[in-house]
Amino acid sequence: MKKVLNSLFVALFTLTAALAPATTVDGKQRRRQRVDSRQSERQYFTIPGELRFLFRLEAHPELDKPGSLWECSYKLYIEDFDSFSQRVKQGSGQHVQRGSEVLLRKGSFTFRDLANGAARKTVINIPVPKGGQLFERFSLIKKKPQIVWMSLTVRINDRTSNINIVKDDQMPFWDLRYFVDDPLAKVIMGVSPRRELRWGTVDPPPWAEKKRPGIVPVEKPKT
Amino acid sequence: MRLSTALAVLLLLLIWPSARSSFAQVRVSMREGRPDHAAAGYQRGRLLELPLVTRARALAVSTAEEASRWSDRLAAARVLSEAADLLWDDDPEQCRAWLTQAWELTDAIAYGEGDKGDQGYRGNSPKGRSRSVILSVAQRHDKALADFFLEKLANEAERTDTESRRGVFDDRTPRSEQLLNLALSVVESDPEGAASLAERSLVDGISFQLQRVLLALWERDRRAANRVLDAALLRLAAGFKDPSEAQVIASYFFTPGRVFNVGNQNNIVLAVSTRTRREAQTPAEAEPARARRFLAIMQHILLSLPAPSATANPPLQAQRIVTLAHSLEKGFRLYAEDLWLPIEHRLAMVRLDLSTPLPDGGLPQIIRERMQSGAVRDGELDTLYVAELEAKAEKEADPLARKFAYLQAALATVPEDLARGLSLAAKISEDALRQQVIAFLKYRAALVALEKGRIEESLALAEGTEPLQRVVLLITAAQRITEEGTRETDEQAMGARIRALQLLSDAEKALGGDKRSDVVLRLRLGIVVALARLDKARAINSLKEVVAEVNKAKSFDPTDASPPRVTGLYSFSVQSSLPRIKSGYGLRDAFTLLAPTEFDESIYVADKLNVPTTRGLCMLEIVRSVLADERREK
């Protein structure tokens, strides 16, 4: 019980720490953007100062050993919903990018020592500068719905047992309106008892509820 | 003769519980050179005098009786039905009672319990499997009893219909599943009987497995296949319930062994049977009039299906109609082009209700274009795909992403093109990962070589693999050498024997004293199985050690006979790209080979197993092996 409370506290603290700068430092900028957007586009929502993505690897008793590592290579895109939908229907997946997608961020990270809970999560921020392409797409969101999607390859390595769990071609995606109220977009990963890597964009993750990942349901924007 | 056998069995039943263990002790004391006091005992002496087959039958009786007290109902049901199968000719009444008891044991198990099937695609419930075994034994010996069980299933089907039929490729009801399982089990020996069973399954609708039965009948007896098909078409015309029923028949006619359907996420899913042989003609080509009749029925159905907007789940209904129409389109063009146009009009309206499908992995553009052009040579797509992945890796600037890209490209190569795989793996920047991938590629190529009988090539490749992979290859090679049958000359036989023993000795050296992991335990069982054909005394000794380790293991599956997973790499379809070895590493494999000549020792060793279900399954395997040996000799 004590351990559970401790881990909850650590998780809460980390999230608070991650959220704090976004709500204080960017406060002015965000207020300005809100006014701008209301005046110019008559939007009924706030364009966030940044898009934030949390990557988290769930604990696993066999893999959480010193020396083990978690590697992830990702590419984040934004794309018109129609183009995305059409491309997906054609089955081209991530191999061929011939739609209207724009690369937002490309990167990778490696975390070692998975026994340490803090080493199993990271947040990446993508700024939404006023006048930038991302800001424009937000502004026209009613006319042209947008999808943010990610191409992802993950590897988890257990050095002690020399086991590598690798998964690629993963493609979590979100409706851009999901970011309107500045929540964290989550990519939660876990390893199944059969050592298969699985992922989800909701918390608790889909395998806990026996669902497949997909678009996060979006409620009607606030008026 | 039968009376005397029954008396002997009765006598054995009376003395068996005490005799079994002491009898084993007798054998041990003989092996260890101690004075054989126990063997002098009157009862035991009598026991030893009885024919081997009689003793084996007595063992089956005692095991079945023990099984009925187990808490593991599935294992108990399995042992009871197997014992009934083995002893039916001796005592049909008792065997009937065991089968009934086995059926009742499965009654208490829920359908989803222990289901390791493909989630959402096809269930593989232990309950269903147990019942298949029980039903096939009943069908073989007492058809009235099989009918009685099927009748019970019919009542149950109404209760469990929604609970158990969750997978896209599940059969319509538990009854139709069992009827089609039975049909498949007898299709080779009795095609007419199989056809009758398949026809009976149509009462519940057209099930996924019907296409397997139809294809098996098509190979064996086309008249029987057409009889079932005609009944299925009548059923389709009179009582169409679900588009998946039509997909089953469409698959049989136009794409044998490949069935399309709509998944739970409105996505299109395809089931491919690896067991379907390619015939020169598809059933549609051979029976164009029947194909047209089917298409005429389907046109009527497709045009009269309710509009998606009138159903509870419009996107799902729309996807089902579109997928079904696409499965039939080529058939319409070839056999009933005049019927297609109204369907195309319907599709144009239905497509409006389609939802956005989930993304998939997809194929590179170049491959899709080549596939659409139809001008594809054997192996060309594999080459193109790997080239595409390599090009992607070369362009990648991020070191981590580049490492992943080369990894994916190396693993996407075909086992036969080891050089290509190795050249791509050599570009993986991380030493440990690169070594692991290279070892895996060599292991995969070595297993393929073994499968094709190229033992020396496989052993040469084994040198570049990881230690446990090499052990699997050495043991499997030794097993293959000993399985190869009688050599032409004694010298050749001796040479093969020496070679196999050398390989096993190398494997044992490589394992060293490591007895801890499940992997090592399974490998040691593989050594026992190989030794059983070469040196029975050594095999028995090794088996004793293995049994002691099995008793210490946290979990052990006595029904698993495949080699352990030693790749260390998970995903990228790594495991599924390896040739499957289905036997040679199971506890029962060892007893199968040892029991006919080392009956008493085998019982002694099996008796040392702590877990009752494992012990019981092994005892029954001993009986089966002895009785099979006797049948062969006759």
Side-chain angles (χ1 to χ4, degrees):
Chain A
M1 188 63 187
K2 213 171 180 179
K3 275 187 180 172
V4 174
L5 284 173
N6 277 343
S7 60
L8 277 175
F9 174 74
V10 170
L12 188 65
F13 174 78
T14 318
L15 279 175
T16 316
L19 285 168
T23 50
T24 53
V25 176
D26 298 335
K28 277 183 188 172
Q29 189 193 348
R30 210 173 293 156
R31 269 197 298 279
R32 234 186 351 258
Q33 285 175 347
R34 194 179 304 158
V35 173
D36 289 344
S37 64
R38 276 182 186 160
Q39 284 173 350
S40 61
E41 305 289 341
R42 294 187 185 172
Q43 297 283 5
Y44 299 107
F45 55 84
T46 312
I47 296 177
E50 60 190 9
L51 308 185
R52 296 180 304 127
F53 298 84
L54 167 76
F55 292 83
R56 192 181 83 212
L57 176 67
E58 295 215 311
H60 189 280
E62 282 185 38
L63 300 169
D64 301 346
K65 296 170 190 164
S68 50
L69 63 88
W70 171 38
E71 289 182 325
C72 193
S73 151
Y74 63 88
K75 286 176 189 167
L76 261 164
Y77 297 90
I78 189 162
E79 183 173 5
D80 292 349
F81 180 86
D82 290 343
S83 158
F84 176 80
S85 159
Q86 191 58 35
R87 202 160 47 76
V88 166
K89 272 183 193 167
Q90 289 168 357
S92 56
Q94 65 155 318
H95 292 290
V96 182
Q97 282 105 40
R98 285 189 179 172
S100 64
E101 74 278 6
V102 171
L103 182 67
L104 293 175
R105 172 74 63 85
K106 182 180 172 184
S108 58
F109 57 81
T110 302
F111 286 102
R112 294 173 196 282
D113 188 10
L114 302 187
N116 173 10
R120 290 202 306 266
K121 60 186 154 199
T122 185
V123 176
I124 59 166
N125 304 309
I126 297 174
V128 185
K130 193 186 157 196
Q133 191 169 173
L134 199 47
F135 187 90
E136 289 304 314
R137 284 180 185 250
F138 259 116
S139 308
L140 299 170
I141 203 167
K142 285 179 93 179
K143 286 181 195 162
K144 270 193 171 182
Q146 300 289 310
I147 292 288
V148 173
W149 60 273
M150 192 184 278
S151 157
L152 197 63
T153 306
V154 184
R155 172 191 176 209
I156 295 166
N157 170 250
D158 172 6
R159 280 277 151 85
T160 324
S161 314
N162 196 24
I163 284 171
N164 279 298
I165 299 164
V166 189
K167 195 157 187 174
D168 83 327
D169 283 2
Q170 302 313 295
M171 208 168 152
F173 58 109
W174 299 262
D175 187 317
L176 188 61
R177 285 175 296 176
Y178 176 74
F179 298 91
V180 158
D181 283 330
D182 202 23
L184 263 178
K186 292 171 186 167
V187 182
I188 300 165
M189 300 175 208
V191 176
S192 76
R194 293 163 73 177
R195 292 191 173 131
E196 285 159 356
L197 195 132
R198 46 196 182 182
W199 60 270
T201 50
V202 288
D203 211 356
W207 53 91
E209 297 181 21
K210 295 183 178 171
K211 284 179 188 168
R212 285 185 60 182
I215 292 183
V216 176
V218 180
E219 290 175 9
K220 195 178 174 186
K222 288 172 191 170
T223 53
Chain B
M1 181 61 191
R2 186 163 289 182
L3 183 66
S4 64
T5 311
L7 280 172
V9 169
L10 185 66
L11 171 70
L12 274 164
L13 277 175
L14 290 171
I15 60 172
W16 188 253
S18 61
R20 197 172 65 181
S21 56
S22 50
F23 177 66
Q25 283 165 11
V26 170
R27 307 300 298 171
V28 166
S29 57
M30 286 165 73
R31 286 180 57 79
E32 291 172 357
R34 292 201 298 264
D36 192 1
H37 301 299
Y42 174 73
Q43 280 187 339
R44 288 160 205 165
R46 290 293 302 275
L47 193 64
L48 285 166
E49 286 165 18
L50 287 170
L52 187 65
V53 174
T54 310
R55 287 154 64 197
R57 286 181 179 137
L59 180 60
V61 171
S62 68
T63 306
E65 288 187 343
E66 193 188 329
S68 58
R69 295 190 291 275
W70 294 345
S71 57
D72 184 342
R73 288 177 296 226
L74 282 170
R78 183 172 178 162
V79 165
L80 284 169
S81 44
E82 286 186 14
D85 192 28
L86 291 169
L87 301 182
W88 197 281
D89 293 340
D90 296 326
D91 190 349
E93 270 316 302
Q94 176 62 71
C95 293
R96 210 169 275 122
W98 282 341
L99 270 194
T100 310
Q101 193 185 350
W103 190 269
E104 284 163 2
L105 284 167
T106 60
D107 268 344
I109 301 162
Y111 259 98
E113 196 176 318
D115 192 341
K116 290 177 184 170
D118 296 319
Q119 295 289 325
Y121 296 105
R122 186 167 167 82
N124 182 18
S125 78
K127 177 176 183 156
R129 286 202 308 272
S130 282
R131 287 183 161 179
S132 291
V133 175
I134 297 167
L135 271 169
S136 64
V137 173
Q139 181 76 12
R140 212 163 19 246
H141 301 288
D142 184 348
K143 288 190 176 163
L145 185 62
D147 283 341
F148 173 70
F149 290 146
L150 287 167
E151 194 57 37
K152 284 181 124 187
L153 267 180
N155 299 329
E156 202 178 282
E158 288 163 19
R159 281 186 287 123
T160 57
D161 193 38
T162 51
E163 170 204 349
S164 59
R165 312 288 97 190
R166 293 163 305 170
V168 176
F169 296 114
D170 270 339
D171 295 317
R172 308 294 307 170
T173 63
R175 178 175 59 178
S176 58
E177 178 187 354
Q178 295 299 349
L179 279 164
L180 292 168
N181 278 344
L182 272 182
L184 282 169
S185 69
V186 300
V187 71
E188 281 299 313
S189 56
D190 179 12
E192 278 296 321
S196 300
L197 289 162
E199 277 180 291
R200 284 173 67 187
S201 79
L202 295 172
V203 172
D204 298 327
I206 296 171
S207 293
F208 173 72
Q209 281 207 95
L210 184 73
Q211 48 95 27
R212 274 187 68 196
V213 176
L214 280 170
L215 287 169
L217 282 171
W218 179 252
E219 275 181 27
R220 189 83 178 74
D221 181 345
R222 292 197 173 185
R223 200 179 53 78
N226 283 336
R227 199 182 91 204
V228 178
L229 180 66
D230 291 343
L233 293 181
L234 278 176
R235 164 77 205 186
L236 208 57
F240 176 84
K241 280 184 186 169
D242 192 277
S244 66
E245 293 184 298
Q247 292 282 10
V248 168
I249 306 295
S251 147
Y252 169 69
F253 268 126
F254 310 119
T255 56
R258 285 179 292 148
V259 186
F260 285 93
N261 210 339
V262 178
N264 296 330
Q265 303 290 324
N266 293 8
N267 50 340
I268 300 164
V269 288
L270 170 67
V272 180
S273 165
T274 52
R275 281 175 278 194
T276 305
R277 278 193 297 186
R278 274 193 190 172
E279 295 283 328
Q281 270 187 322
T282 62
E285 286 164 352
E287 300 279 346
R290 275 197 170 80
R292 187 178 164 86
R293 204 163 94 222
F294 166 61
L295 293 166
I297 294 170
M298 287 318 302
Q299 189 213 38
H300 177 71
I301 289 172
L302 280 166
L303 297 179
S304 58
L305 276 172
S309 54
T311 62
N313 189 345
L316 180 64
Q317 176 72 355
Q319 189 66 68
R320 282 177 169 170
I321 295 174
V322 170
T323 309
L324 178 56
H326 282 169
S327 303
L328 298 169
E329 186 176 349
K330 198 176 167 190
F332 271 106
R333 304 257 184 235
L334 286 171
Y335 304 104
E337 195 163 13
D338 52 315
L339 304 178
W340 176 247
L341 194 62
I343 298 172
E344 202 157 272
H345 290 159
R346 177 91 211 263
L347 283 180
M349 298 175 73
V350 166
R351 279 200 186 97
L352 300 173
D353 285 308
L354 281 177
S355 66
T356 307
L358 285 170
D360 56 15
L363 287 169
Q365 180 77 14
I366 185 170
I367 293 185
R368 281 187 294 120
E369 283 169 5
R370 195 59 65 93
M371 284 174 84
Q372 280 161 7
S373 74
V376 184
R377 289 191 305 276
D378 271 358
E380 190 187 2
L381 289 184
D382 292 321
T383 312
L384 278 174
Y385 184 54
V386 173
E388 184 81 7
L389 292 175
E390 187 181 23
K392 192 178 146 194
E394 279 164 0
K395 282 181 208 152
E396 193 57 71
D398 183 293
L400 187 59
R402 193 167 56 245
K403 180 173 78 178
F404 284 153
Y406 278 123
L407 170 66
Q408 190 185 8
L411 295 177
T413 55
V414 291
E416 289 75 13
D417 197 355
L418 178 63
R420 177 81 167 120
L422 293 177
S423 72
L424 288 164
K427 295 177 182 173
I428 296 172
S429 53
E430 183 191 315
D431 286 349
L433 186 62
R434 185 175 60 248
Q435 294 307 324
Q436 191 177 41
V437 174
I438 288 172
F440 167 77
L441 293 172
K442 288 183 177 174
Y443 176 60
R444 189 178 66 171
L447 282 177
V448 170
L450 262 184
E451 197 181 41
K452 293 185 176 169
R454 303 193 304 259
I455 291 173
E456 292 309 318
E457 180 190 333
S458 166
L459 291 170
L461 287 166
E463 295 311 311
T465 60
E466 290 182 356
L468 290 180
Q469 292 168 349
R470 181 170 165 266
V471 172
V472 171
L473 293 168
L474 292 172
I475 294 171
T476 311
Q479 289 179 355
R480 296 285 182 274
I481 289 171
T482 55
E483 275 168 12
E484 274 180 7
T486 319
R487 308 279 166 166
E488 281 178 13
T489 63
D490 286 349
E491 271 180 25
Q492 280 178 339
M494 183 59 77
R497 189 183 149 84
I498 291 169
R499 178 78 173 123
L501 283 168
Q502 273 173 350
L503 295 174
L504 293 176
S505 172
D506 287 350
E508 278 182 327
K509 266 186 219 159
L511 284 178
D514 188 357
K515 291 180 182 175
R516 293 160 301 168
S517 72
D518 295 347
V519 170
V520 173
L521 183 55
R522 197 57 76 180
L523 292 173
R524 289 195 181 277
L525 260 174
I527 293 177
V528 173
V529 174
L531 278 175
R533 288 200 182 91
L534 297 164
D535 185 342
K536 293 211 167 7
R538 227 177 112 192
I540 284 282
N541 274 335
S542 299
L543 185 57
K544 278 180 200 163
E545 289 173 16
V546 169
V547 162
E549 294 304 316
V550 168
N551 286 335
K552 288 180 204 163
K554 279 184 195 163
S555 66
F556 181 82
D557 181 1
T559 59
D560 184 4
S562 52
R565 183 172 182 152
V566 287
T567 55
L569 274 169
Y570 288 76
S571 200
F572 278 141
S573 307
V574 161
Q575 194 66 16
S576 59
S577 70
L578 294 174
R580 278 190 192 173
I581 301 172
K582 289 181 183 168
S583 64
Y585 290 82
L587 201 48
R588 295 174 79 178
D589 291 333
F591 285 111
T592 306
L593 292 171
L594 291 168
T597 52
E598 306 291 318
F599 181 70
D600 306 327
E601 288 290 354
S602 297
I603 293 174
Y604 170 73
V605 177
D607 203 37
K608 292 285 176 195
L609 286 157
N610 287 346
V611 179
T613 51
T614 308
R615 187 171 63 235
L617 286 169
C618 290
M619 290 293 186
L620 222 54
E621 194 56 43
I622 292 170
V623 176
R624 179 192 308 285
S625 179
V626 168
L627 296 184
D629 198 52
E630 187 218 9
R631 275 198 296 277
R632 269 196 300 275
E633 279 180 13
K634 273 184 183 172

